[in-house]
Amino acid sequence: MLDIKFIRENAEVVKTAVLNKNEKTDIKKLISLDNRKRTLQFEYDRYRNDQRVLSQKIPKFKAIGKDVTDLLDDLKERAMIVKKTLDKLNQVSLELEKELLTVPNIPHVSVPIGKDESANTFVREWGEKKEFDFAPKDHFELVQQNDLLDFKRAAKLSGHGFAFYTDKGALLERALINFMLDFHIKKHGYKEISAPFIVNRSTMTGTGQLPKLEEDMYLIEQDDLFLIPTAEVSVTNIFADEIVHHKILPQKFVSYSPCFRREAGSYGKDTKGLQRLHQFNKVEMVRFVKPGNSYIAFEKMLVDAEEILQELGLHYRIMTISSGDLSFASTKTYDIEVWAPGAKKYLEVSSVSNFEDFQARRASIRFRDENGKVKFVHTLNGSGLATPRTYIALIENYQNMDGSFSLPVCLKPYIQDIWQEVLFV
RNA sequence: GGAGACGUGUCCGAGUGGUUGAAGGAGCACGCUUGGAAAGCGUGUGUGCGUUCACGCGUACCCAGGGUUCGAAUCCCUGCGUCUCCGCCA
């Protein structure tokens, strides 16, 4: 969430941001609510002060045996006015708070302005599209042929968008997850954390999924709890409602979790195989940093994610997400897209975002700096990486003419003992 | 699921319904002391909102939300959370 003072003083900037992000928040209404609230607050404070001062006279009057009947009558009336004013104040505050939660974060100046993903801009790429001297198969064919996945039976249990990973198929995914976790821990100094997969409403509001994206979340109505759509939610909220010591910053977490997404509104999109699932696995990086350092951390986190693909030997490109495609809470996001030669397209396997203090303000994550001043931290996160699409790219890129495939050596320690026939290159 | 206990500041811990933002301690910061440190002594040490050029002032907050009262950290109700015991189950 944005600072109401900032909105008050930079209404035009915020309006433009809302427009550029294709949001609909009514900033004019918000500001008039804010004015209303401050007026009521002022009135309340004054009434309340009068009330307290007069109230305190009662014990003093009684002590000297003075009659308090008139004073009490007066105070009863004042109590009513105070109550009425407070009710109004509470109502307006609530309304303001609700509106405030629908104001998106402001895109960073370096973000391209544009309507949608067509305005995303190319940053850099690594490697190149692999050439085959045969027609490469897509992952859907390859996983059938190698008995790695079973979509049909999964659909029997859960409907479309779920998968059984079977035998070597499961081993391969587990290997990927472990490789990625170990790599971030050993090479990049992240601290591993395994977090709850089910969280409450305020946690989901803290990171910005609510109220806007409620339809995309799985809700356990009985307990009003949500299945997390990404470990970002659980991990970022770890310091919610805390003022942490500056010495613990920066803080870098890496976390494996399954991710649950209803994908409302994406029906008919990427329906085949592993491209879009209601449940998938992901290794997520989350960083907490001091305000001035978040864009440096942001670039570093991007590189952390890239290095996974480099180890896996997969060609990818990096795109800067344009304002219209940028998520609600983010100021700037890079997508990493890996090349899938079977699908003949780039697949998004990572999104690296800076939220500056937007999430910190919502979740109230603050720190006391060297001078004892309380400030909001900056939060960032990035996939490192999501497994299904990485899986697609992996087997499509490493496939042989006969439909078998080899694997990059970085996965060898995780696989060789169990799966001896596979070739590592 | 059943029974009970409890939720106060960075932490521990007081708190008879009436200047209580909250005793006391620890910690932390600064100063004095010291060759240096420890100990000791002194001072300071909440967050949000509003207001002020500023010192400050006002107000809210003792888990959350309601209620009683002229007045609530203190009384009542509800919810949430933590802990203990029992039951059940990975």
Side-chain angles (χ1 to χ4, degrees):
Chain A
M1 131 175 104
L2 296 177
D3 184 359
I4 183 66
K5 274 186 221 152
F6 178 86
I7 299 176
R8 205 184 290 151
E9 285 155 22
N10 302 277
E12 289 312 310
V13 175
V14 180
K15 279 183 198 166
T16 308
V18 169
L19 223 64
N20 287 341
K21 267 197 166 177
N22 299 327
E23 295 284 345
K24 288 185 273 295
T25 319
D26 186 347
I27 299 301
K28 234 178 105 182
K29 184 182 166 197
L30 187 85
I31 287 176
S32 89
L33 272 173
D34 172 49
N35 282 330
R36 185 101 195 287
K37 189 204 149 181
R38 282 185 297 153
T39 310
L40 282 166
Q41 175 90 56
F42 182 77
E43 278 179 32
Y44 173 76
D45 286 358
R46 214 179 43 197
Y47 289 148
R48 180 73 177 144
N49 183 237
D50 294 347
Q51 184 191 32
R52 290 181 67 167
V53 170
L54 289 173
S55 266
Q56 277 156 15
K57 284 188 180 169
I58 288 180
K60 285 173 192 155
F61 275 32
K62 281 184 175 164
I64 55 169
K66 206 168 160 188
D67 181 49
V68 293
T69 321
D70 288 350
L71 187 54
L72 264 180
D73 285 348
D74 181 29
L75 274 168
K76 276 180 192 166
E77 212 162 299
R78 284 174 188 276
M80 267 166 59
I81 296 169
V82 167
K83 175 87 174 70
K84 259 190 205 162
T85 314
L86 180 64
D87 284 348
K88 266 194 258 173
L89 176 62
N90 283 341
Q91 193 199 324
V92 173
S93 302
L94 229 85
E95 231 177 296
L96 178 66
E97 181 70 13
K98 212 174 127 197
E99 282 294 313
L100 211 48
L101 286 174
T102 69
V103 182
N105 204 354
I106 296 170
H108 189 256
V109 284
S110 63
V111 167
I113 304 300
K115 230 181 150 41
D116 51 37
E117 70 270 13
S118 65
N120 296 352
T121 55
F122 176 83
V123 179
R124 63 173 174 264
E125 63 183 343
W126 182 89
E128 49 193 44
K129 292 177 186 170
K130 192 167 175 184
E131 298 291 341
F132 292 84
D133 43 20
F134 57 92
K137 298 185 171 100
D138 72 15
H139 84 282
F140 198 68
E141 245 186 295
L142 290 167
V143 299
Q144 314 269 351
Q145 191 182 327
N146 291 281
D147 287 326
L148 301 177
L149 298 171
D150 188 338
F151 292 106
K152 268 207 177 126
R153 290 198 172 99
K156 193 167 65 174
L157 319 199
S158 314
H160 173 262
F162 295 87
F164 274 112
Y165 288 71
T166 55
D167 193 22
K168 306 296 190 294
L171 175 68
L172 177 56
E173 200 205 19
R174 185 156 57 90
L176 262 176
I177 292 166
N178 283 331
F179 158 67
M180 294 192 286
L181 282 172
D182 289 352
F183 194 78
H184 290 310
I185 293 164
K186 286 194 260 187
K187 184 103 193 295
H188 300 138
Y190 284 80
K191 198 188 289 177
E192 183 172 3
I193 188 160
S194 179
F197 302 152
I198 300 176
V199 300
N200 61 25
R201 199 168 273 279
S202 91
T203 302
M204 289 289 265
T205 308
T207 26
Q209 278 73 22
L210 295 184
K212 193 192 164 191
L213 299 172
E214 178 149 3
E215 289 192 350
D216 279 311
M217 307 301 150
Y218 284 104
L219 169 65
I220 300 159
E221 265 183 61
Q222 205 175 1
D223 302 300
D224 203 34
L225 293 172
F226 295 83
L227 300 187
I228 56 167
T230 157
E232 160 198 352
V233 175
S234 308
V235 179
T236 305
N237 277 286
I238 191 169
F239 298 127
D241 297 315
E242 288 188 36
I243 300 173
V244 300
H245 198 284
H246 62 83
K247 277 183 194 151
I248 76 151
L249 299 174
Q251 192 75 225
K252 296 156 73 175
F253 290 112
V254 63
S255 186
Y256 153 78
S257 88
C259 303
F260 303 94
R261 300 185 180 180
R262 292 189 63 228
E263 298 290 350
S266 325
Y267 291 115
K269 238 168 142 184
D270 310 324
T271 51
K272 216 168 144 194
L274 287 175
Q275 281 192 45
R276 190 174 294 272
L277 299 169
H278 290 304
Q279 178 190 325
F280 63 94
N281 293 308
K282 182 157 62 66
V283 169
E284 181 79 1
M285 304 174 283
V286 174
R287 288 189 185 215
F288 298 87
V289 301
K290 291 181 194 168
N293 304 337
S294 66
Y295 281 92
I296 299 163
F298 178 55
E299 296 294 331
K300 278 191 188 148
M301 196 146 74
L302 175 64
V303 175
D304 292 342
E306 284 182 76
E307 285 182 10
I308 294 284
L309 289 173
Q310 293 173 12
E311 286 292 308
L312 292 172
L314 297 172
H315 163 59
Y316 63 84
R317 66 178 188 187
I318 296 168
M319 306 293 285
T320 304
I321 301 304
S322 76
S323 65
D325 198 23
L326 199 57
S327 76
F328 176 78
S330 172
T331 59
K332 185 170 182 181
T333 297
Y334 291 123
D335 272 5
I336 304 179
E337 302 178 339
V338 67
W339 177 249
K344 293 184 180 57
K345 62 178 177 185
Y346 286 97
L347 304 175
E348 180 197 329
V349 287
S350 178
S351 234
V352 179
S353 302
N354 191 354
F355 304 94
E356 297 189 13
D357 65 7
F358 191 82
Q359 293 182 325
R361 207 177 281 280
R362 288 182 158 236
S364 193
I365 306 166
R366 295 172 294 175
F367 73 102
R368 201 176 296 280
D369 74 6
E370 292 81 347
N371 304 314
K373 266 195 85 175
V374 175
K375 291 175 176 160
F376 286 105
V377 304
H378 279 197
T379 60
L380 306 100
N381 67 57
S383 346
L385 315 156
T387 64
R389 293 179 187 160
T390 307
Y391 200 101
I392 293 173
L394 200 64
I395 58 176
E396 287 189 4
N397 276 286
Y398 283 89
Q399 65 178 294
N400 306 314
M401 193 155 31
D402 63 358
S404 68
F405 56 87
S406 28
L407 288 172
V409 282
C410 64
L411 296 180
K412 194 171 174 183
Y414 301 94
I415 287 179
Q416 61 178 351
D417 287 351
I418 300 175
W419 189 2
Q420 276 119 8
E421 316 80 82
V422 74
L423 189 71
F424 295 95
V425 294

